[in-house]
Amino acid sequence: MDPNAPAPDHRGGRAEDRPLTAQERAEYERLHRHASVRHRRLRYTGASILLLLALLLSPVAVVSAWLHNTISDQDRYVQTVAPLADNPAVQNTVTDKLTNRVVSNVDVKAITEALQRALQQADAPPLIVEKSEALEGPLKGALTSAVHAVVSKLVTSDQFETVWTDANRRVQAAVVKVLTGEGSSAVQTSGDTIVLNIGALTDQLKTRLVDAGFEKAASIPEVDKEIPLLQVDKLNKAQDAMRLLNVVGVWLPILVLVLAALAIWTAPAHRVWLIATAIGLFVMMLVLLVALAVARRIYLDSVPPSTLPPDAAAAVYDTLVRFLRQSTRTLLVLSVVTGLAAYLYGPGRGARFIRNAATRSTGAAGRSLERIGLRTGSTGHWLDEHRKWTTGIVIAAGAVALLLWNYPTPAVVALVFGIVIVVLIILGILAAAPGDGRRRGAGEPKHGPGVSTG
């Protein structure tokens, strides 16, 4: 006799074979509901933690991806800083800096004193000799105007843009070293200031000024080859943060995507959780835009006007972070599109109304095609029977296109979204025009022609 066999009940049968009593069934259902509720709570808790982590890390992921793609990629970096060569504020800063330095190397006072001595030796009237000292101011002004004209012509020429682009392309690797605290070569740190060496442009300027008669221009010091780009109060701490962000620049965005996907998969209501993810991403991108605006104000307040004029400093900041702002706005638009698509796919009254309206519209368009002799036949039947599959494939194709697109913009997201909508409309019209009366639409019978309806 098997000692593990179930014990017989009071009627001689095995306990596992007899039906449950009402009390036992009630207890079983109670335990089942309790286990189900506990399981759903665990899923919601896990999904909430995963989503919270994804949303909190999303701004950092965007910034780290921007640093990695913009600073580490030479072409992207040159594309980022190239507009500064055409910016009037930056051009004026470079022109004023070089002009002042050239003029400072000309001893105007010595020239007026030499003129005064020459007048005295020529027995000029004492009044003229005395008034010759007053020529120092006008002479310096005239010299400044003449030098400024030469420098401005060079800085606003296409040659300056070429020199600027070539210099930034050569020093891109050095910029990365500066941001990681290992600055050297053309891009360097001077105290708390990041400067760009434009020696090639300065050398050309010296040659032009000497040819124009300003021999003192040949003595422009080496220091004037440095143009300040950024100045921060705590550069070392910023470098530490940038080194960390550069390390996680590749993996942090992937981690955020994985966390968000796991949160949606873990939650019992996938569609609702997708909407929540889209809303959360929208809010976090708004926070990032506000943070960039605050950082801009802090940066402008930290740069002394003697180092970089406010308009030039603003131009530098706005140019350097413009792709970061663009990426943030792209994610804003993408979150809106995702949330809207998830809502329209749900059972809400508004979503059902829009879907029914779309079905009626495509059905009417399909019937119009049939009336003019354009019929889709078996292809239309296949599209009609596989609407969910074709819709999913088209949406997935749009998502893949955005993933494969290098640096998508808000306009690109809108374009891809519009193409997806147009393709879905076309497929809906083709599915509604098979041409043999077996179309299935709102309010239409599912049987074919020739079958009696009773």
Side-chain angles (χ1 to χ4, degrees), residues 47-364:
S48 299
I49 294 174
L50 291 171
L51 181 59
L52 181 62
L53 288 175
L55 293 179
L56 291 178
L57 290 175
S58 59
V60 183
V62 174
V63 175
S64 63
W66 166 72
L67 282 173
H68 183 269
N69 295 332
T70 301
I71 305 301
S72 300
D73 188 311
Q74 186 181 76
D75 292 335
R76 187 68 167 175
Y77 171 77
V78 172
Q79 185 182 3
T80 299
V81 300
L84 289 175
D86 295 327
N87 187 276
V90 175
Q91 291 177 341
N92 291 337
T93 300
V94 175
T95 300
D96 292 343
K97 180 178 177 63
L98 294 179
T99 299
N100 292 336
R101 196 56 182 173
V102 170
V103 173
S104 67
N105 281 274
V106 178
D107 194 346
V108 179
K109 185 176 182 180
I111 295 176
T112 56
E113 290 177 351
L115 176 62
Q116 189 177 40
R117 289 194 298 270
L119 291 174
Q120 289 175 344
Q121 294 174 359
D123 295 329
L127 181 60
I128 295 179
V129 174
E130 180 181 352
K131 293 297 183 180
S132 64
E133 296 181 355
L135 294 175
E136 180 179 350
L139 181 59
K140 186 173 183 180
L143 177 63
T144 301
S145 299
V147 173
H148 189 278
V150 175
V151 176
S152 179
K153 186 177 181 180
L154 175 62
V155 171
T156 57
S157 66
D158 295 337
Q159 190 174 13
F160 175 69
E161 183 178 355
T162 302
V163 171
W164 179 272
T165 301
D166 292 342
N168 278 283
R169 186 174 296 278
R170 289 194 306 269
V171 304
Q172 182 271 341
V175 172
V176 175
K177 292 181 180 180
V178 169
L179 294 177
T180 56
E182 302 173 358
S184 62
S185 186
V187 178
Q188 305 168 356
T189 54
S190 177
D192 289 336
T193 304
I194 298 177
V195 296
L196 174 66
N197 189 299
I198 54 172
L201 179 67
T202 306
D203 293 338
Q204 293 180 24
L205 174 62
K206 288 182 180 181
T207 302
R208 288 199 179 191
L209 290 175
V210 171
D211 293 342
F214 300 99
E215 297 180 357
K216 290 290 186 179
S219 61
I220 297 178
E222 293 295 318
V223 69
D224 283 305
K225 295 181 179 181
E226 297 178 352
I227 299 297
L229 292 180
L230 293 172
Q231 182 174 29
V232 292
D233 293 334
K234 299 178 180 179
L235 181 59
N236 292 334
K237 291 184 178 180
Q239 290 172 336
D240 293 339
M242 288 182 179
R243 278 196 294 268
L244 176 61
L245 288 174
N246 194 38
V247 172
V248 300
V250 176
W251 296 107
L252 188 56
I254 297 176
L255 176 62
V256 170
L257 287 176
V258 171
L259 290 174
L262 287 175
I264 296 171
W265 178 77
T266 303
H270 303 315
R271 185 187 60 82
V272 174
W273 222 249
L274 178 60
I275 296 176
T277 302
I279 295 175
L281 180 63
F282 182 87
V283 173
M284 296 309 296
M285 292 304 100
L286 284 180
V287 171
L288 180 56
L289 287 177
V290 172
L292 289 176
V294 173
R296 183 181 189 272
R297 184 70 268 166
I298 294 174
Y299 161 69
L300 293 180
D301 291 340
S302 67
V303 179
S306 58
T307 302
L308 205 60
D311 55 348
V316 170
Y317 181 88
D318 293 337
T319 300
L320 291 179
V321 303
R322 76 184 191 279
F323 286 130
L324 177 56
R325 286 193 180 120
Q326 177 179 285
S327 298
T328 306
R329 296 188 183 108
T330 299
L331 290 175
L332 275 176
V333 176
L334 187 60
S335 63
V336 172
V337 171
T338 302
L340 180 62
Y343 169 76
L344 293 178
Y345 199 77
R349 180 178 300 178
R352 292 199 308 270
F353 173 80
I354 294 176
R355 290 200 302 269
N356 291 336
T359 301
R360 288 193 297 268
S361 299
T362 55

Side-chain angles (χ1 to χ4, degrees), residues 36-54:
S36 178
V37 170
R38 186 171 180 271
H39 179 66
R40 289 176 64 86
R41 287 178 178 174
L42 288 176
R43 291 180 64 183
Y44 273 120
T45 301
S48 299
I49 294 174
L50 291 171
L51 181 59
L52 181 62
L53 288 175

Side-chain angles (χ1 to χ4, degrees), residues 1-8:
M1 181 177 182
D2 186 1
N4 295 324

